[in-house]
Each structure stands twice: as structure tokens, then as C-alpha cells.
Amino acid sequence: MTQPGSPTAFEDLVDHYDAARPAYPAALFAALPDLSGAVLELGAGTGIATRELVKRSGSLVSTDLGPKMLARLHERSPQVPVVVSRAEALPFTDGSFDVVCGAQMWHWVDVPVATPEVLRVLRPGGALAVWWNEVAADGLPWWDAQQDRLEAGNPRYSRTYRARDYRSELTPYFASVEHWTTRWERVLDWPTYERWLRSKSYVQALDDVETFIAAEQQSLGDAFPDGRIVEPFSVTLRIARKP
Ligand SMILES: C[S@@+](CC[C@H](N)C(=O)[O-])C[C@H]1O[C@@H](n2cnc3c(N)ncnc32)[C@H](O)[C@@H]1O
């Protein structure tokens, strides 16, 4: 699957990313496998999920391919050890983790390479947990118009780019793959929403970012005249267990 942006683009987006990306609801963390043992986080970014994982984990190591993203994570959560590494080449010994997890990142990995790496570092019976926030606004005019603009401005972008069948992808490698989902929403102002847009690798890959941002300001101003932008999300979690 072609990605609509670059996996290293986040390195230049740290401030926008950390300021405006959505967090994950408490129900998601309650649905994760038992975190009381050793936990490895992949693609941890600036640590949005890390800040919740560290409260619940026996021990936690966070990794990402981007040193600038991890530097921000370290500033905010200095108690968490960080290691720059790709999910496809993990610098850890076999069987060293009970849980490997990744928030909003598994769509970036090379699955046939990363999955055996994850299995290698998991102990027998351990679990991979990967999850995503997805804006759940299909049919709302402001959202559909935004997606039209993105698809027109970036030929590599499709509104369905994360809609992969992760269960089928993971099933050949694992003993079982479970699915869990929930919905939530957040309310934010335009300056924060603008930063959220600018934190996306596929927005930065547009032909004309500023024209896109101006159109969004107009469109969201019309849709939310009181300035309180209501953004609905669904969270999808997959838990895959090693035999
Ligand atoms: C959308 S961000 C998610 C960051 C964080 N987990 C969160 O929830 O905010 C995706 C992250 O995955 C990282 N990434 C992309 N490809 C990766 C790979 N192959 N291995 C490890 N990390 C990767 C990027 O550097 C980026 O920090």
C-alpha cells in the first residue's frame, strides 16, 4: 500500500504533532492486554500514548525511527527509556517482552519484515496490540469537502488509506487476532485544529499547503460558527497473540 506521505516527515512536525494530535480514550488502555510485565512501544512519536502506557506498565521501552520525535518524548516522560529503531529491525533479544504495542503506526511498517521481528522479541503467549484513532465523520459536509480537497491536492492520498484488513494480515503469524472498537469525540478551536492539520504527513505533501489551510478555515468556520470544532473519532484496536 502506497503511503500518502513520508514516514520521516514527522521529524519536522514535532511541535504541531505534540500540540494538536488527539490522545486516546481511557477505555482503549483498559482494553489492552495485561501490561504488568515488560512492554515495548513501537513508533512512539512524541509520546502521546506513552504517557498513559507508562502509568500502567511494569516496565516500558519506547522506540521510533525518528530521533526528534523521541527527543520530545524524552523531555515529557524522562523516566521512559527510548531507543531509535525501526519496527523492522529491533535491537532487543529474543523473548524479552510480554507486550509489543503501537499507536497510529502499524500502517507504516513493512508487515512481512516487522511481524517476524515482533514475534522474535515477544515471549511465548505474548501479545502485539496496535490501534488507531480514525475521524468518524463520513457524510458530514465539512469532512467530505476536506477529503475531496486532500485527494485533489495529493495524488498519493486516499481517504481510505488506512482501511486495510489487519486481521487477515496478522492471522498467518499469530495464534489469534482480536478486534475491539469504541467511539469518542473532542472539541477544539481553529488554532489547534490548524496545527492538527499541519501535523499530518499527507497535508505536508500537498501541492499547496497554504491554500488548503485557508479553505479549511473557511469551511470549518461555516460548519462551526461558535468556533468549537467537534471532531468525532472511532478507535480500532487489534490484539494478536503469539502461540
Ligand atoms: C502517526 S505517528 C504516531 C506516533 C505516536 N504513536 C502517537 O500515537 O502519536 C507515526 C510514528 O511512526 C513512526 N514510524 C514510521 N514508520 C516506522 C517504522 N517502520 N518503524 C518504527 N516507527 C515508525 C514515525 O516516525 C512516527 O513517529
Side-chain angles (χ1 to χ4, degrees):
M1 170 78 190
T2 304
Q3 291 289 348
S6 156
T8 53
F10 297 104
E11 284 291 272
D12 295 325
L13 303 173
V14 170
D15 289 336
H16 290 322
Y17 199 101
D18 206 33
R21 281 272 169 154
Y24 305 97
L28 177 273
F29 294 97
L32 291 177
D34 178 6
L35 298 175
S36 61
V39 179
L40 172 65
E41 185 185 16
L42 307 175
T46 61
I48 292 172
T50 317
R51 294 193 269 284
E52 295 303 318
L53 290 171
V54 70
K55 295 180 203 165
R56 296 164 168 84
S57 302
S59 67
L60 175 66
V61 178
S62 294
T63 62
D64 197 286
L65 62 77
K68 290 186 194 165
M69 294 292 266
L70 281 184
R72 179 59 55 88
L73 184 158
H74 183 67
E75 274 170 39
R76 301 197 48 168
S77 303
Q79 73 276 39
V80 179
V82 292
V83 180
V84 176
S85 64
R86 292 181 174 264
E88 294 82 357
L90 296 169
F92 304 105
T93 53
D94 297 1
S96 39
F97 295 98
D98 299 289
V99 176
V100 174
C101 58
Q104 211 81 16
M105 63 71 63
W106 190 255
H107 56 288
W108 285 110
V109 309
D110 182 351
V111 171
V113 182
T115 312
E117 251 319 66
V118 166
L119 284 165
R120 183 184 66 73
V121 302
L122 274 176
R123 65 157 174 78
L128 169 68
V130 287
W131 65 90
W132 291 264
N133 265 327
E134 307 264 13
V135 179
D138 286 353
L140 297 179
W142 65 270
W143 173 254
D144 291 343
Q146 179 183 112
Q147 299 307 301
D148 290 346
R149 274 190 281 277
L150 285 168
E151 286 174 349
N154 178 353
R156 293 170 66 203
Y157 179 80
S158 158
R159 66 193 74 193
T160 61
Y161 82 97
R162 280 199 298 258
R164 283 176 17 198
D165 184 353
Y166 294 101
R167 184 196 291 267
S168 297
E169 276 181 19
L170 293 171
T171 295
Y173 299 94
F174 289 91
S176 65
V177 182
E178 298 160 34
H179 172 81
W180 179 91
T181 188
T182 193
R183 294 176 79 89
W184 66 288
E185 65 180 35
R186 67 173 179 167
V187 178
L188 60 174
D189 58 16
W190 166 252
T192 308
Y193 195 89
E194 179 184 356
R195 298 194 82 175
W196 156 227
L197 289 174
R198 290 185 187 275
S199 79
K200 301 181 187 205
S201 62
Y202 53 80
V203 168
Q204 295 301 333
L206 288 169
D207 297 336
D208 184 345
V209 175
E210 297 314 316
T211 299
F212 170 77
I213 295 289
E216 285 304 306
Q217 184 170 15
Q218 180 70 50
S219 170
L220 288 157
D222 293 344
F224 300 100
D226 67 356
R228 298 172 74 251
I229 300 167
V230 180
E231 195 175 34
F233 288 95
S234 68
V235 178
T236 302
L237 165 67
R238 296 273 179 199
I239 300 174
R241 294 191 187 273
K242 178 174 170 173

